[in-house]
């Protein structure tokens, strides 16, 4: 009975945040040639972080009664359920669009090899900063929805690996969305074709893809051509869908095993180096 009360409080709080953020809506800030596109999801994540017991909940007792440790633990379980539904959605999207994906050519597939760079580049940095098993969850992918699903299923969302992927996911939503908006605005000046840039916005994150492609279509050279805008958005959506699906396969069979292997090799070396530094100090 008590768990039901906690669940109801959590649902009411989540519903209130969603409604409030949707009422605020999408907001674009233009700074010279750069367009920062802010989405309701960004507001929701920030508000959700702020009202937790570790922040405002410490000072405002009413918030702590609504969103306490029990509600947070329940939220972790709900995330796992929601990600299963998301996986079904991705799977059901493939069938109707299979011909479109095949017709898109090898360019969409070629970009998926970028997933391998995540553990190769990010894992050593994470170990350098003192991360342990959290680094496996955080560095095996770009830590978006599909990654959350895989890591939470394999290790549990409350595990060190789950904390790593969830922390990176939240940072991606807050910082990554803004960063991608800037990239979408300034990437046109690289000289690359707008369609190639549109394809590049699809990294497996709906919020990042939308932010980057929306900012790209607001560039004056593109904004004047409705046909080009439609094509860019279509390429971005197709690329994002493929990145989510192929990224899931890469994560399960390639990057996650590679990350675990690299962790087993590198972690003892970093630990040994830290111990040597402490003794020298």
């Amino acid at each position: 009975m008590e768990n039901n009360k906690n669940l109801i409080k959590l649902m009411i709080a989540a519903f209130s945040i969603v409604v409030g953020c949707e009422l605020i809506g999408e907001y674009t800030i233009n700074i010279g040639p750069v367009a920062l596109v802010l989405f309701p999801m960004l507001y929701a994540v920030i508000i959700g972080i702020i009202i937790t017991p570790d922040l405002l909940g410490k000072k405002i007792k009413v918030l702590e009664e609504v969103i306490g440790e029990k509600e947070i633990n329940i939220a972790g379980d709900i995330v796992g359920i929601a990600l299963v539904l998301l996986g079904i959605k991705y799977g059901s999207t493939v069938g109707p669009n299979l011909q479109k994906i095949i017709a898109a050519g090898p360019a969409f597939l070629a970009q998926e090899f970028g997933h391998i760079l995540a553990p190769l580049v990010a894992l050593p940095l994470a170990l350098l900063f003192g991360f342990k098993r959290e680094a496996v969850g955080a560095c095996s992918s770009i830590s978006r929805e599909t990654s959350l699903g895989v890591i939470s299923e394999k290790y549990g969302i409350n595990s060190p690996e789950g904390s790593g992927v969830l922390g990176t996911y939240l940072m991606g939503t807050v910082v990554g969305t803004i960063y991608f908006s800037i990239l979408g605005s300034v990437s046109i000046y690289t000289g690359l074709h707008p369609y190639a840039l549109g394809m590049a916005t699809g990294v497996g994150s709906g919020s990042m893809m939308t932010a980057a492609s929306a900012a790209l279509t607001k560039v004056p050279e593109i904004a004047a051509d409705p046909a080009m805008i439609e094509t860019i958005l279509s390429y971005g959506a197709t690329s994002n869908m493929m990145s989510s699906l192929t990224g899931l396969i890469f994560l399960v069979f390639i990057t996650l095993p590679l990350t675990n292997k690299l962790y087993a090799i590198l972690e003892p070396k970093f630990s040994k180096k830290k111990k040597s530094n402490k003794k020298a100090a």
Side-chain angles (χ1 to χ4, degrees), residues 2 82 177 192 238 259:
E2 186 179 353
T177 304
L192 295 173
T238 304
T259 304

Side-chain angles (χ1 to χ4, degrees), residues 180 184 198 201 208-218 232-233 236:
F180 265 60
T201 63
M208 291 182 184
M209 182 275 293
T210 305
S213 59
L216 180 61
T217 56
K218 286 178 172 61
I232 288 172
L233 295 177

